[in-house]
Amino acid sequence: MNLNYEIENKGNILIVDDLLENLQLLSNALLKLGYTVRSVTSGRMALKTVKVKRPDVILLDVKMPEMDGYQVCRTLKADAEFRQIPVIFISALDDVFDKVTAFELGAIDYITKPFQIEEVVARLENQLTIQRQQQLLEKENMKRREAEEVLYQSRALLASVLNSSLDGIAAMQAVRNTETGEIEDFRCLVVNPVIARAFKRSREEMIGKLVLKKFLSNIDLELFNRFVNIVETGESLEQDFYYESGKSCWFHFVAVKLGDGFSVTIRDITARKQIELALQDANQKLEELANLDGLTYVANRRCFNNRLLSEWQRLAREKQPLSLILLDVDKFKSYNDYYGHLAGDDCLITIGQTLQKVVRRPTDLAARYGGEEFVVLLANTDLEGAIKVAENIQQEIHNLAIPHAESDVKEIVTVSFGISSFIPKLEVQPDTLVAYADKALYDAKQQGRDRWSTNC
């Protein structure tokens, strides 16, 4: 017998029949076709053989002594380990009742004797094909279940990270105009509880919704354009922003492109920002103290020197005048000796406050130059303007009427003024302005004090 069957995958076949000639015929034919074949002559031997090595298909005779094929099939189908093995009955019984009984017991096919080998092989191969497909399907299902489990675990891990994170985390998808393609808003894809609280909504109320543009209108609308730029250019964005949310008000975010949208991580930096602001405030106060005279609380000489240099350079470029008034309390040593140093300090404090009262332009500066000397720096002011300021200061000090019993100028405290005015030049040193004012002050004292003199 020549059968030209190409078996792609060999099957492991168990043949059960009490007639040796039937066993021999089937075994030889199937072996030639490449199947692995085992043969037994009783039902009990079949059950033992199945336990030793599981077959792919069982070809089972019905009529056998001691234990017939129906009993064998019933026993196999009652065992969870073996009930999936396909059973094909081969029997001389062709009554409908016998066939129905076989199928009720779980058989998958029924072949009547006498049989043709071609029919047996065709039905056998059909079951093996189904079995292979079931195995492949089971493998695919197993892979799918494994993938679903991995996905579930990943989602559970992601949810755990999102829900336990102290930082706000969200992912946004661009919503574009269907005609122009321009981004009109962003739809929330992922959001954790931290950001949901900031929006004063639940996560369920935010996911899938257009919430960003409206939210940013309360902070900075320009931020929306910057988020659009992330999506269009791929450039990330990082910055601080102010937004009152409960006890927090300062936040830092990092946003990066994610598909046709972006992901953002937001951190509450309120505590750090408060420390930074407090440090800035402290540094500013230290800077102010470093530039203030400790007694009179007007600018000190260090501050004056710095301002003189910067204004000299600026006005040299602009070719505008810079004037300086140097003033000295007349007979201050006598005042100190007579009234005491505490009274002398009070006198200097009062004069410093008077200078602050008269010199009010932001570009002008009143400072204590040293001892009982004060200086007034007047930017964009010519000599005539400086004289007016000096006269105003003189009048205000007269109005104070601070008694000075030891003065041979007047019975009240008076001051003398030296005034200088230049249009600065970079090749001339700024100290020249001070030197000229000092010479004018000397002249004012020589002329009797309580007066002003100029030197330009």
Side-chain angles (χ1 to χ4, degrees):
M1 183 181 296
N2 295 319
L3 299 174
N4 297 319
Y5 292 96
E6 293 184 2
I7 306 300
E8 187 176 336
N9 292 307
K10 294 178 180 180
N12 183 4
I13 312 302
L14 175 62
I15 304 174
V16 186
D17 198 324
D18 62 332
L19 296 177
L20 292 176
E21 58 269 25
N22 289 340
L23 286 177
Q24 191 69 34
L25 176 64
L26 278 172
S27 295
N28 290 340
L30 295 178
L31 285 169
K32 288 180 181 179
L33 293 170
Y35 293 98
T36 299
V37 179
R38 288 176 295 161
S39 304
V40 295
T41 57
S42 70
R44 297 190 185 282
M45 291 177 65
L47 294 175
K48 290 181 180 179
T49 302
V50 167
K51 292 180 179 179
V52 174
K53 185 175 182 181
R54 180 190 178 103
D56 296 323
V57 178
I58 299 175
L59 297 177
L60 180 61
D61 188 19
V62 176
K63 294 186 67 66
M64 293 183 296
E66 296 182 9
M67 190 177 198
D68 64 22
Y70 292 149
Q71 291 175 301
V72 174
C73 187
R74 185 181 293 110
T75 303
L76 289 171
K77 298 305 178 182
D79 192 322
E81 185 178 355
F82 304 119
R83 66 168 57 121
Q84 298 300 325
I85 300 174
V87 175
I88 300 176
F89 279 105
I90 299 181
S91 175
L93 300 174
D94 62 352
D95 190 80
V96 173
F97 174 78
D98 296 306
K99 295 179 180 179
V100 170
T101 300
F103 287 118
E104 286 179 346
L105 290 172
I108 48 85
D109 208 344
Y110 194 101
I111 303 172
T112 57
K113 297 177 181 179
F115 54 79
Q116 296 293 323
I117 291 297
E118 290 88 351
E119 179 187 4
V120 173
V121 172
R123 298 200 182 196
L124 178 63
E125 190 61 30
N126 181 54
Q127 293 305 319
L128 288 172
T129 300
I130 293 173
Q131 192 176 61
R132 294 184 195 109
Q133 290 174 341
Q134 289 176 336
Q135 290 172 351
L136 289 173
L137 181 61
E138 182 58 32
K139 288 181 180 178
E140 289 300 319
N141 286 338
M142 185 176 294
K143 289 181 180 178
R144 180 178 58 80
R145 288 193 293 270
E146 290 175 351
E148 288 176 349
E149 180 64 22
V150 171
L151 180 60
Y152 174 79
Q153 294 293 341
S154 299
R155 286 176 175 172
L157 179 61
L158 177 60
S160 176
V161 171
L162 289 174
N163 293 334
S164 62
S165 175
L166 297 178
D167 296 336
I169 302 172
M172 300 288 176
Q173 181 183 40
V175 176
R176 298 179 178 271
N177 184 291
T178 55
E179 295 181 358
T180 64
E182 294 181 354
I183 297 177
E184 296 181 334
D185 206 340
F186 288 92
R187 178 176 287 107
C188 183
L189 297 181
V190 176
V191 61
N192 73 340
V194 175
I195 289 187
R197 284 195 298 270
F199 277 76
K200 299 177 182 177
R201 297 187 182 184
S202 67
R203 293 174 64 244
E204 292 72 19
E205 290 174 325
M206 291 186 63
I207 293 176
K209 304 296 191 307
L210 306 179
V211 295
L212 188 61
K213 197 168 190 178
K214 183 178 179 181
F215 177 73
L216 292 179
S217 65
N218 299 321
I219 303 175
D220 181 5
L221 268 177
E222 180 58 29
L223 269 179
F224 179 80
N225 295 329
R226 294 176 185 172
F227 286 134
V228 170
N229 187 66
I230 294 173
V231 182
E232 303 296 9
T233 67
E235 296 179 3
S236 60
L237 177 63
E238 181 175 357
Q239 73 176 65
D240 298 344
F241 68 95
Y242 184 87
Y243 174 69
E244 294 184 6
S245 177
K247 295 181 180 180
S248 303
C249 55
W250 279 102
F251 299 87
H252 177 83
F253 75 81
V254 178
V256 297
K257 180 177 174 62
L258 180 65
D260 192 31
F262 67 93
S263 65
V264 61
T265 303
I266 301 176
R267 175 164 295 181
D268 183 351
I269 59 167
T270 302
R272 190 193 80 190
K273 199 72 174 182
Q274 288 173 341
I275 293 173
E276 289 178 358
L277 293 174
L279 183 61
Q280 288 177 7
D281 185 57
N283 288 336
Q284 183 176 352
K285 288 180 179 178
L286 285 174
E287 181 67 20
E288 290 174 355
L289 288 174
N291 287 303
L292 285 180
D293 176 61
L295 175 65
T296 62
Y297 284 94
V298 297
N300 59 16
R301 186 163 180 170
R302 172 178 176 273
C303 179
F304 164 74
N305 288 337
N306 291 337
R307 181 71 72 83
L308 173 62
L309 177 60
S310 63
E311 291 293 346
W312 185 272
Q313 293 173 343
R314 179 178 72 87
L315 295 173
R317 293 191 299 269
E318 297 176 4
K319 295 181 170 48
Q320 294 295 316
L322 177 64
S323 296
L324 186 141
I325 304 172
L326 190 63
L327 56 137
D328 183 90
V329 180
D330 295 330
K331 303 291 183 177
F332 186 71
K333 184 178 182 306
S334 300
Y335 185 94
N336 257 346
D337 292 342
Y338 185 79
Y339 294 100
H341 289 284
L342 290 178
D345 289 346
D346 288 340
C347 177
L348 294 177
I349 292 171
T350 302
I351 290 176
Q353 293 174 345
T354 301
L355 291 178
Q356 293 281 50
K357 177 182 175 182
V358 175
V359 181
R360 301 177 65 178
R361 292 191 313 176
T363 56
D364 296 339
L365 177 72
R368 186 181 181 191
Y369 196 68
E372 67 272 22
E373 283 188 322
F374 293 85
V375 65
V376 176
L377 189 64
L378 303 170
N380 298 93
T381 303
D382 58 15
L383 180 61
E384 183 178 353
I387 291 172
K388 290 181 179 179
V389 174
E391 289 176 341
N392 289 337
I393 295 172
Q394 183 182 40
Q395 185 59 52
E396 289 295 330
I397 292 175
H398 284 170
N399 293 341
L400 293 173
I402 301 172
H404 192 346
E406 293 298 303
S407 174
D408 57 2
V409 181
K410 284 187 178 179
E411 294 180 353
I412 58 174
V413 170
T414 59
V415 293
S416 298
F417 302 86
I419 306 170
S420 61
S421 182
F422 289 157
I423 293 178
K425 295 181 180 179
L426 294 178
E427 62 270 21
V428 178
Q429 291 298 317
D431 291 344
T432 305
L433 190 66
V434 180
Y436 273 60
D438 188 58
K439 176 62 172 60
L441 175 62
Y442 177 80
D443 293 341
K445 289 182 178 182
Q446 290 296 109
Q447 294 168 15
R449 295 184 172 85
D450 189 25
R451 67 191 66 227
W452 54 264
S453 178
T454 62
N455 185 19
C456 299

